[in-house]
Amino acid sequence: MEEEVKKDILDVLKKSLEAIKKEDIVNLRELSNHTLHDASIYQDDYSTTIAIIIYSLSKVFERVSYREYKSWSMFYKNILEFFDKAIKALEEDNIEDYEVIVHDMFNTIYDLEPKLRDYIINVFQGARIHKASRLHEHGVSVGRVAEILGLSEFEIMDYLGKTGIADVEFSITRDVRERIKFVRGIFK
């Protein structure tokens, strides 16, 4: 893991932990988007995984009704522990432990009661596809995005086709005469 990526993920994890404790869903989404920006630059698994986790958690915490399930408190406790352990591992520069912690966080989801578990699994899968489209929107090729996120190009293209992201036209600049006229108007 590159040092810049590690520092950024560590910062995002700390801020995300605080946002979770405050139930600040908007901030969680913003932190996920920030991490996705790093993922588009570095094209690494670490940034994309954290972007997906944080975005997914924002979607899960937004559903207040799921807090009524018996296993919700276990899920919430596990998430807080995950963030604490992940932060500690990165602070100690222990990337191997960090990877195990991230893997274990996903495994704890399978211990939840079926309805909550299935919802959370669906959210994480949807988040992977959603973030794949956002990576592509940042200029990363569909093939590379599929490789980073372990998705098929078909899944990504299908989602892109439904969202219309691929249809967005690049900005068209004004011709030289219009630009000169605009600049002259500024200085009058």
Side-chain angles (χ1 to χ4, degrees):
M1 177 185 301
E2 290 195 34
E3 190 62 30
E4 189 69 28
V5 171
K6 184 181 83 171
K7 284 178 18 185
D8 213 31
I9 289 176
L10 187 56
D11 183 55
V12 166
L13 286 173
K14 289 176 181 178
K15 289 177 180 175
S16 295
L17 180 58
E18 288 306 311
I20 289 169
K21 289 177 180 178
K22 293 177 183 175
E23 298 183 21
D24 188 351
I25 295 162
V26 173
N27 194 19
L28 278 177
R29 291 248 171 93
E30 289 172 6
L31 290 164
S32 171
N33 291 336
H34 173 79
T35 308
L36 190 72
H37 179 71
D38 282 353
S40 69
I41 294 169
Y42 295 104
Q43 297 184 20
D44 67 301
D45 293 341
Y46 300 108
S47 297
T48 53
T49 300
I50 288 301
I52 291 167
I53 289 171
I54 294 171
Y55 178 77
S56 298
L57 291 175
S58 75
K59 298 293 277 183
V60 170
F61 288 122
E62 155 179 279
R63 285 281 182 103
V64 180
S65 64
Y66 281 96
R67 297 172 192 201
E68 297 171 11
Y69 287 99
K70 292 177 186 175
S71 58
W72 175 262
S73 61
M74 180 181 74
F75 172 73
Y76 186 77
K77 180 180 152 263
N78 287 341
I79 291 302
L80 295 179
E81 285 178 11
F82 158 73
F83 276 91
D84 284 334
K85 289 178 182 178
I87 289 167
K88 184 178 178 190
L90 287 180
E91 286 176 338
E92 295 173 354
D93 203 26
N94 192 337
I95 306 306
E96 292 83 22
D97 278 0
Y98 173 77
E99 290 173 349
V100 169
I101 291 164
V102 171
H103 184 266
D104 288 349
M105 192 266 323
F106 284 108
N107 286 338
T108 63
I109 294 170
Y110 293 98
D111 295 335
L112 302 173
E113 57 194 282
K115 195 167 185 176
L116 181 58
R117 177 193 62 222
D118 293 344
Y119 170 71
I120 292 172
I121 289 171
N122 285 336
V123 166
F124 272 87
Q125 181 60 18
R128 285 175 65 214
I129 293 171
H130 174 75
K131 290 300 177 183
S133 72
R134 296 298 168 224
L135 270 174
H136 177 65
E137 189 177 17
H138 276 80
V140 182
S141 73
V142 171
R144 180 68 180 130
V145 170
E147 182 183 325
I148 293 169
L149 293 174
L151 296 167
S152 73
E153 290 182 31
F154 175 77
E155 288 174 294
I156 297 168
M157 293 301 290
D158 183 51
Y159 186 81
L160 289 173
K162 291 176 185 172
T163 61
I165 290 171
D167 299 332
V168 175
E169 291 185 31
F170 292 104
S171 53
I172 300 170
T173 62
R174 298 177 183 176
D175 75 6
V176 175
R177 287 187 184 103
E178 287 179 40
R179 287 186 276 168
I180 291 172
K181 183 179 176 183
F182 175 76
V183 171
R184 285 182 180 155
I186 291 174
F187 292 107
K188 283 187 178 180

